Amino acid sequence: MNKVPEKVCMVCDKDLTDVNKLTDRIYTDHDNHIFCSVKCLGEWNTVSEFCSWEEYYQYYFK
């Protein structure tokens, strides 16, 4: 079973607990690291982009 990650950006440590569906996104890479923006994502390869934690959980845990 997948481990639930901390809700912070891997690069800048921004708290992503309250992701705003209109302005924020959750990005993940091949190793399921979490990023808050394309800028923080940098050279990592994007696997998925989510608008909310609910969407993230449905994709990875259901």
Side-chain angles (χ1 to χ4, degrees):
M1 181 165 188
N2 291 333
K3 180 181 139 194
V4 177
E6 289 186 50
K7 295 180 179 181
V8 295
C9 177
M10 181 177 165
V11 174
C12 71
D13 292 327
K14 177 181 176 182
D15 183 4
L16 297 170
T17 302
D18 297 317
V19 174
N20 178 334
K21 294 179 183 180
L22 299 176
T23 59
D24 298 325
R25 295 290 183 268
I26 301 165
Y27 298 92
T28 60
D29 67 3
H30 292 286
D31 295 322
N32 296 331
H33 296 125
I34 294 175
F35 303 89
C36 68
S37 68
V38 174
K39 181 180 176 183
C40 283
L41 189 63
E43 295 181 17
W44 296 82
N45 292 320
T46 305
V47 171
S48 302
E49 177 182 346
F50 305 98
C51 295
S52 69
W53 285 107
E54 292 80 20
E55 185 179 359
Y56 174 91
Y57 291 136
Q58 287 179 1
Y59 182 82
Y60 281 108
F61 298 103
K62 294 189 179 195

